[in-house]
Amino acid sequence: MLPDIKSLTKDELEARFQDWSEPAYRVSQLLNWLYVRRVTDWNAMSDLPQSLRQKLQTHHELRSLELIRKQGASSDTTRKFLWRLTDHSLIESVLIPANPALYGEASDRHTLCVSTQVGCAYGCKFCASGLEGWKRNLTVDEIVEQVLAVERYTSSTSSSSSSSNPETMTRSTTRTKASGRIVDNLVIMGMGEPLANYDNLLKALKILNAPWGGGIGARKITVSTSGLAPQIRKLADEPVQFRLAISLHGATDEIRNRIMPVNRKYPLSKLTEACDYYLKKKGRMITFEYILIAGVNDALDQVKPLAALARRLKAKVNLIPYNNVDGLPWQRPAEAVQTAFLSALERLKVTATLRLEKGHDIDAACGQLRLKTEREMAEVNR
Ligand code: SAH
Ligand code: SF4
């Protein structure tokens, strides 16, 4: 398959256009069609000469994501998109109304949670994404396209209702008019382990961050990892200033080993050393994600070790009530347990938030809509 045009940076396009003896301003025109107008058809690029469009098509695909299911309809609630890729794999993106307290600064716009892999190899016991294993890495353009496709659909379906019938969802139409940016914060917390798809992720983020591309500030991009220590160090050595979130979920090796197999490879000592390195190189605060799971990690005796880790790494803690997953035994604790855990952390002078649950009703935790859809399809095909 030809490489998609959205997997190339401006520099790469300029080099290519130079080889073709095309003037440099043609690159700007092309980028405008791709990232401002977000067109999905070469023919829409009306100010590019036919001969150039032909050349582009001979060397590149212009793929877009096919929407097969959408949940949540109004602009002030969480909306979830299930996409089908060209090889028929399913991935998800989740659009969340801005919550200034969490990852970004105050904003009247939206945070988009994007996927980086089909499935996940890390097999955390509580997570729907890992349930059926890892299938493949997403390509650069498949990561970039999630932002563009969501913006395409949200700007063209202002009053659409939730739909789950693939037959009624058509491929996105070509938009010739520029429409406003909807996504201004990115969290790399969808399906997959982002740092296990390091090169594609970094290139995609470079494109989404660039003023000629997605235009999303690096400080508004949060990469979440289950704890791949060597890649955390590698990320620290990059010139860009992304935010880093660590999916901790346990403050001791005993608890992490029980729920996150990755901890056997990179136990807390290795993980905290890598975080220390990140902190030293970047001087930026890290966030610890801590899902509260009833009877697993929500007892008050966990607060002390968690606070010690957070204080040592100057990390902020995001407590997240567990989203129950069909077929898994884990449960969200009662609200009183959640708030008691938060208060205990705060008493130990840790900056912490208890995430307001926005996506619970629509299976917003990563991998859940895909899992549900695949199970429904299996039922239908039986
Ligand atoms: N693989 C990366 C990023 C994707 S997972 C990581 O693990 O960080 C994004 C976040 O969702 C992680 O913090 C993950 O632990 C959390 N998560 C997974 N399943 C969940 C569930 N059922 N309820 C709440 N959070 C969940
Ligand atoms: Fe993979 Fe993250 Fe889910 Fe763990 S929590 S299985 S690393 S997606």
Side-chain angles (χ1 to χ4, degrees):
M1 200 185 282
L2 298 172
D4 192 274
I5 192 76
K6 279 165 285 176
S7 63
L8 298 186
T9 62
K10 189 179 183 197
D11 288 350
E12 288 169 334
L13 286 169
E14 280 170 350
R16 169 141 291 202
F17 275 40
Q18 207 168 17
D19 287 347
W20 292 345
S21 308
E22 294 285 349
Y25 70 88
R26 294 286 185 212
V27 172
S28 307
Q29 287 176 315
L30 172 64
L31 292 172
N32 191 54
W33 286 115
L34 295 176
Y35 298 106
V36 180
R37 308 264 182 155
R38 308 181 199 100
V39 300
T40 56
D41 183 349
W42 298 109
N43 290 327
M45 303 183 180
S46 52
D47 58 2
L48 297 186
Q50 186 63 36
S51 58
L52 174 57
R53 274 186 258 161
Q54 211 52 55
K55 237 182 285 180
L56 283 165
Q57 277 181 70
T58 316
H59 293 87
H60 295 287
E61 300 272 342
L62 177 58
R63 286 191 289 265
S64 50
L65 298 173
E66 184 184 359
L67 181 64
I68 62 158
R69 195 165 184 173
K70 186 174 158 209
Q71 287 184 329
S74 72
S75 60
D76 56 356
T77 56
T78 299
R79 278 168 284 178
K80 188 155 193 168
F81 300 79
L82 186 73
W83 310 109
R84 182 159 45 204
L85 308 177
T86 40
D87 67 350
H88 289 196
S89 296
L90 301 179
I91 57 160
E92 310 173 15
S93 314
V94 184
L95 187 65
I96 310 153
N99 179 349
L102 279 182
Y103 303 102
E105 285 90 52
S107 160
D108 58 354
R109 288 189 280 175
H110 291 83
T111 295
L112 185 70
C113 175
V114 305
S115 295
T116 52
Q117 299 183 311
V118 181
C120 183
Y122 286 82
C124 301
K125 300 279 197 291
F126 49 80
C127 175
S129 290
L131 271 184
E132 283 165 24
W134 177 85
K135 192 165 165 200
R136 69 169 173 89
N137 282 335
L138 294 190
T139 56
V140 173
D141 58 288
E142 285 167 340
I143 299 172
V144 170
E145 243 297 296
Q146 291 175 61
V147 175
L148 302 177
V150 161
E151 293 194 327
R152 229 178 262 134
Y153 276 102
T154 39
S155 54
S156 63
T157 54
S158 51
S159 62
S160 78
S161 59
S162 167
S163 170
S164 61
N165 180 357
E167 301 304 316
T168 63
M169 303 308 264
T170 51
R171 284 183 81 89
S172 60
T173 49
T174 300
R175 310 214 51 81
T176 48
K177 258 210 189 128
S179 42
R181 276 272 132 83
I182 287 150
V183 175
D184 70 343
N185 269 286
L186 268 190
V187 292
I188 317 302
M189 295 189 183
M191 197 191 304
E193 168 50 55
L195 297 187
N197 185 11
Y198 192 92
D199 293 342
N200 289 352
L201 172 76
L202 262 277
K203 191 165 185 196
L205 292 185
K206 193 171 172 185
I207 292 170
L208 289 168
N209 171 232
W212 51 260
I216 303 170
R219 284 152 200 261
K220 297 189 168 189
I221 298 177
T222 302
V223 177
S224 175
T225 177
S226 58
L228 272 53
Q231 284 89 334
I232 291 172
R233 288 172 180 271
K234 204 166 157 194
L235 191 65
D237 291 332
E238 302 282 349
V240 279
Q241 288 278 10
F242 299 129
R243 288 167 182 263
L244 180 65
I246 306 289
S247 293
L248 196 68
H249 311 329
T252 60
D253 280 323
E254 195 220 325
I255 289 189
R256 261 178 74 86
N257 282 343
R258 216 185 303 157
I259 55 179
M260 302 179 74
V262 68
N263 197 68
R264 298 193 184 269
K265 190 153 186 204
Y266 305 116
L268 280 171
S269 57
K270 291 252 176 343
L271 177 57
T272 48
E273 273 171 25
C275 291
D276 257 337
Y277 182 74
Y278 190 91
L279 198 66
K280 227 179 280 142
K281 291 286 289 227
K282 295 281 177 224
R284 296 191 61 79
M285 201 186 212
I286 291 173
T287 303
F288 283 154
E289 306 285 326
Y290 194 99
I291 316 177
L292 288 164
I293 311 176
V296 174
N297 63 0
D298 62 342
L300 289 178
D301 63 3
Q302 292 305 303
V303 172
K304 228 171 147 181
L306 177 57
L309 273 180
R311 279 204 307 261
R312 188 181 139 207
L313 291 165
K314 301 188 180 63
K316 179 184 153 207
V317 177
N318 276 344
L319 298 174
I320 307 152
Y322 180 65
N323 262 315
N324 299 349
V325 175
D326 265 359
L328 292 181
W330 318 87
Q331 296 285 327
R332 157 184 299 206
E335 218 168 289
V337 175
Q338 302 170 24
T339 49
F341 200 95
L342 173 69
S343 309
L345 260 183
E346 287 174 334
R347 273 198 298 278
L348 294 178
K349 306 271 181 289
V350 173
T351 311
T353 56
L354 180 59
R355 189 187 284 182
L356 270 178
E357 258 324 290
K358 288 201 162 153
H360 196 47
D361 299 341
I362 63 158
D363 314 304
C366 66
Q368 293 193 57
L369 185 60
R370 167 183 176 252
L371 188 69
K372 190 159 132 188
T373 306
E374 283 187 341
R375 284 182 178 161
E376 284 168 10
M377 284 174 171
E379 276 292 303
V380 170
N381 295 333
R382 251 196 336 193

